[in-house]
Amino acid sequence: MRLLLLEDDAILGEGLRDFLQTDGHRVDWCKRLCEAKALTGEPYDALLVDWQLPDGSGLDWVRSIRRQGISTPVVIMTARDLLSDRVRGLDGGADDYLVKPFEPEELTARIRAVRRRVSGSASALLAFGDVRLDLTGKVAFLHDVRADLTAREWAVVEALALRAGRLVSRSELEALVLGLDNESASNTLEVHISSIRRKLGRGVIETSRGLGYRLAT
Amino acid sequence: MTPNTSALPSIRQRLSRALIGVSIGWGIAVSAVVWFAVRHEVDDLLDNALQESAEILFALLSFNSAQLSLNGGGGWLPAPVHDEELVWQIVGADQQVLLRSHRAPAAPLANRRTTALSSVGDEWRVYSLPFDTTGRMLFVAQTGRSRHQARLDAAMFTASAALLVGVLCAYLLRWRVRRELVPITDLSQAVMQFDPMRPESRLDPARRAELMPMHTAISELGTRLARRLGNERAFSAHAAHALRTPLAGMVAQLAVAQRVSSAEAQPHLQRTREAASRLQRVVTALLTLFRTGGEVRRQRVEIADLIGQLSFEQSVISSGGSTHLQVDPDLLAAALMNLIDNSLRHGASTVSVQSREEPDGRIVIAVHDDGSGIPQADRTRLQSALDAQQYDGGMGLGLMLADLVARAHGGQLRMKSSASGCTVELDLGIPAAD
């Protein structure tokens, strides 16, 4: 998943960024609200937002992007643990509210949960024809046989699975999955898709020329 | 906790007792004074009446002295049968009664030869006056019994009236005292409703000038308290942010380190992460307890659910029962977290958290572990310290926090003896919720 992490604390921000990256996510880490605002148009799977930032309120920014019609899932991460704060956070447009300190594993579980809710599935197990995906274990099965996908290939499959039923443009897909690591430029999206089709079947990803990709149901 | 007011002296009772005492004393003193004054005045009045009567009688007898039989023999003038209050005698110079009223004694009433008032024992009060130039005397007398009765009647009436007025005044004053103390009761109730932390909360104005200093002092105390609590809450909020964020950073960094480090480093990192998790729980509990300042925000909580939400390995905790309680879930969670954490740090592999109902209906939550336990002597010392709320020295943070939470709910923490391990009971002093 491509995640925007908005956290001003260097130790926490770096720790979460590295943890999420080792979990296979692409993370854009902003320490200031102004940096996050500059990325508002980018496609993200989830926004991880600290409430209190040096240049403003993270919750106010969440309210503003909700007013702009952006429905990307938001997880508020904050030290404010009063019931009234939690209510304000969730009413302000957040999909989940996590009180610091927390275990990073809990954060990733909550990210998966809010993504599942957005994609309309309550389960972490998704089925697309002969292909089954375990979003928690990050594992794909073809005819109940585990397919050995690379982290990048899984990221492509996961991005399409979380947007099941709609076409995902090439540029959006690139924005969501490329840049996970220091991969060479020669590893293009087509290479990954071709590899996925070899492992999960040719028909698993449908291509609409000039429009984008989607998982075949 | 409400103190036992019956053990304290009551202003109302003290004032009432003093008023009744003063009133009774005043009534007795007034009655005594009235008694003597009336006796004296009645005596004067009776003497005057006796004297005037004697002079009228003298005039009447002198006017008709020629017709009077003054030859001796002690005769009396004819008169209808009646109760004589006044008797008279005409006594010769030889002390022989010459003439008398029909109730007068046959012997002379007095032995005087001049005009004078005199008493003959308690029996007679006599007014003597010379009747003529031959030495005959006119004695007019009143019985001591009738004079005494007159004095008694007058004194009794006035003394009774004085006493009655005194008693009435005492009851009136007692009623008045009760009424005058009502503003103090009203002020006490207003203070009980007064919450200085709520801006809209105000003490009603004092209704008596004497209560103004107390009213002002309480209002100012409330203002100081609100300011201090406000500062503490602000500090707590800042402290929460200052503590929680670095802790979260530390945990995140450790989680990353665990993923990228060699197998040899894993046990050390795991232990460091467990310590960080414990630090998280302690900080969370401290912040929760001190932010609330002991203020309990009760809501209906299912104990087993609450335990299930604690950040411990589920295999460590076994909860029993499905009791619901009206408690502050944050505070109770903090207390249980610290008690369980204590158990784990003292070698427990299993911690059982079970609730049970006491005969009087109170619910007690028992935390039992299979750890190293506490020696009897130490347990007794700890219990004494808990009973006296002397948390300084010899007691861990966990026990102190748990006891504070229990006391905030109306109960207390108890160290129990057990065959193995350690048992601590969290008595919240409340029955199960419906």
Side-chain angles (χ1 to χ4, degrees), chain B residues 298-332:
Chain B
R298 295 178 192 265
Q299 54 182 277
R300 197 168 188 270
V301 172
E302 214 270 308
I303 298 300
D305 284 351
L306 187 79
I307 295 164
Q309 289 164 12
L310 302 181
S311 305
F312 287 97
E313 292 296 327
Q314 287 301 306
S315 59
V316 175
I317 302 165
S318 61
S319 64
S322 59
T323 310
H324 288 84
L325 288 175
Q326 283 286 345
V327 293
D328 186 319
D330 289 339
L331 288 181
L332 184 56

Side-chain angles (χ1 to χ4, degrees), chain A residues 11 22 81 100 103 105, chain B residues 244 253 259 273 277 291:
Chain A
I11 295 173
T22 59
D81 67 336
K100 298 175 185 174
E103 302 288 340
E105 289 86 349
Chain B
R244 288 174 187 275
Q253 293 282 356
R259 286 189 169 181
R273 203 165 168 198
S277 295
R291 187 190 55 226

Side-chain angles (χ1 to χ4, degrees), chain B residues 137-178:
Chain B
M137 294 292 292
L138 174 63
F139 297 139
V140 180
Q142 193 174 27
T143 61
R145 185 184 49 76
S146 65
R147 289 175 65 92
H148 176 71
Q149 189 62 45
R151 281 198 302 269
L152 190 66
D153 287 349
M156 283 293 286
F157 181 79
T158 47
S160 300
L163 263 177
L164 185 64
V165 169
V167 169
L168 277 175
C169 285
Y171 274 100
L172 272 173
L173 286 169
R174 192 160 174 263
W175 171 76
R176 190 74 196 177
V177 165
R178 282 172 182 265

Side-chain angles (χ1 to χ4, degrees), chain B residues 59-139:
Chain B
L60 290 172
L61 291 172
S62 299
F63 186 70
N64 294 306
S65 60
Q67 282 82 40
L68 294 176
S69 173
L70 299 174
N71 302 321
W76 57 77
L77 287 181
V81 177
H82 67 284
D83 238 358
E84 272 187 344
E85 294 297 327
L86 288 173
V87 297
W88 57 270
Q89 293 174 327
I90 295 174
V91 178
D94 55 355
Q95 285 294 304
Q96 189 181 359
V97 175
L98 303 176
L99 194 64
R100 59 189 171 97
S101 63
H102 73 288
R103 292 276 186 182
L109 284 164
N111 190 22
R112 289 186 176 270
R113 312 308 307 169
T114 55
T115 301
L117 268 171
S118 62
S119 293
V120 181
D122 290 334
E123 200 175 356
W124 298 103
R125 180 74 170 164
V126 183
Y127 185 65
S128 317
L129 71 169
F131 186 65
D132 53 24
T133 53
T134 63
R136 287 185 288 208
M137 294 292 292
L138 174 63
F139 297 139

Side-chain angles (χ1 to χ4, degrees), chain A residues 68-94:
Chain A
Q68 293 168 39
I70 297 171
S71 58
T72 309
V74 172
V75 179
I76 292 278
M77 308 175 302
T78 178
R80 303 169 73 143
D81 67 336
L82 290 177
L83 175 63
S84 56
D85 290 331
R86 289 179 220 171
V87 171
R88 276 176 67 197
L90 293 171
D91 285 349

Side-chain angles (χ1 to χ4, degrees), chain B residues 179-190:
Chain B
R179 251 188 73 180
E180 289 303 318
L181 290 175
V182 166
I184 295 181
T185 310
D186 291 347
L187 180 62
S188 301
Q189 285 176 347

